[in-house]
Amino acid sequence: MRSLRLSAAAGAAVFLLLGAGCLGGSSSNSATGGMWLSQTSGTSWIAMHALPLASSIGSIGNADIISFAVDPSDESALYAGTKSSGLLVSLDGGTTWGRPEDEKVSSGAILDIAVSNADVCTYYVLKADRLMKTTSCGREFDTQTYVEGRTKEALTTFALDWYNPRVLYLGTTAGEVLKSSDAGDTWTVVYTIDDSISAIEVSNANSRFVIMGSSRSSLYRSEDAGVHWLSFEDVLDETMSGSD
């Protein structure tokens, strides 16, 4: 279960992401997954499940949503990544949902999603074997933005620099932090640890500050956009040494 709070003109809106299973072809009142909306601070909830299909109105109520993003320029544009049914897109605040036509984007597990704050039609979609990019609001995708060619390794997490959206970060199970400074055209390994990368976050206050987490719960910090890194243990040791 995950939740996301968004500001709205009528007050705070809370989106609750739930579910397990796959997308169904028919609507079901018993579905407890998908997305729910509360505009009353959580006292009441409305299911946001509608999925228009070729022959009927389906539901995302059984979708297991594992990643989520909101267009920073338009709160009504929502992106939900599912565990096995690809990417879902809503342009009306979650009332109805659709899927991109590209099969690589509309199938499989979507691990992470990030939308550029400089261009409303540019966003990135992460799968275990590749990072995909669209600059046409999802009509077409570059499915080769980054491809993990090693059979025993996978991509795990993605981050987009809000200040300079041409700067991208990727994490891998091999313990690598990869960085692109040209919107994904080229990539460089900027740091490596002996552990799988589980999360990368860019500070909302200063995009030069980047936090990276590993699967064994270790944390690392960069204060120069990924050029140099320190583990939090090292920072603590330095702080303790300076207090002696």
Side-chain angles (χ1 to χ4, degrees):
M1 179 180 72
R2 302 184 182 186
S3 64
L4 176 69
R5 182 180 298 273
L6 302 176
S7 60
V14 181
F15 286 90
L16 186 66
L17 313 180
L18 297 168
C22 56
L23 297 182
S26 61
S27 179
S28 170
N29 292 330
S30 63
T32 57
M35 180 174 295
W36 297 73
L37 169 68
S38 174
Q39 293 181 317
T40 59
S41 301
T43 58
S44 61
W45 295 85
I46 302 171
M48 314 293 283
H49 289 169
L51 176 66
L53 302 173
S55 58
S56 64
I57 299 296
S59 172
I60 68 167
N62 291 323
D64 193 345
I65 298 174
I66 59 175
S67 56
F68 187 74
V70 181
D71 188 328
S73 303
D74 181 3
E75 290 183 350
S76 64
L78 311 177
Y79 303 85
T82 69
K83 188 175 182 179
S84 60
S85 302
L87 179 70
L88 301 173
V89 179
S90 175
L91 301 179
D92 54 14
T95 302
T96 59
W97 295 85
R99 285 186 287 184
E101 293 184 2
D102 193 300
E103 185 177 355
K104 283 188 171 63
V105 185
S106 61
S107 63
I110 304 299
L111 305 179
D112 221 337
I113 310 160
V115 186
S116 171
N117 64 348
D119 180 5
V120 296
C121 279
T122 296
Y123 61 88
Y124 296 84
V125 180
L126 182 69
K127 300 182 80 170
D129 67 336
R130 69 188 63 236
L131 177 69
M132 301 174 286
K133 173 185 178 182
T134 179
T135 58
S136 59
C137 291
R139 290 185 291 273
E140 295 179 343
F141 280 85
D142 174 8
T143 60
Q144 307 287 315
T145 304
Y146 185 87
V147 176
E148 176 53 70
R150 297 167 294 185
T151 58
K152 294 184 178 181
E153 303 296 347
L155 306 178
T156 56
T157 187
F158 172 75
L160 176 64
D161 186 326
W162 55 268
Y163 180 76
N164 179 4
R166 292 181 61 81
V167 175
L168 321 174
Y169 298 92
L170 271 173
T172 75
T173 55
E176 301 153 330
V177 178
L178 297 99
K179 179 181 177 180
S180 174
S181 298
D182 50 18
D185 289 340
T186 59
W187 294 86
T188 302
V189 177
V190 294
Y191 196 60
T192 304
I193 62 173
D194 187 22
D195 194 7
S196 175
I197 307 299
S198 59
I200 301 174
E201 296 290 341
V202 177
S203 169
N204 289 329
N206 184 340
S207 71
R208 292 174 297 179
F209 283 75
V210 184
I211 302 296
M212 178 263 289
S214 74
S215 62
R216 291 198 291 264
S217 300
S218 296
L219 288 173
Y220 300 81
R221 181 181 72 187
S222 173
E223 298 181 357
D224 52 14
V227 178
H228 301 96
W229 294 81
L230 276 176
S231 71
F232 273 65
E233 290 84 354
D234 291 338
V235 173
L236 181 60
D237 288 344
E238 289 184 1
T239 301
M240 296 299 292
S241 298
S243 63
D244 292 341

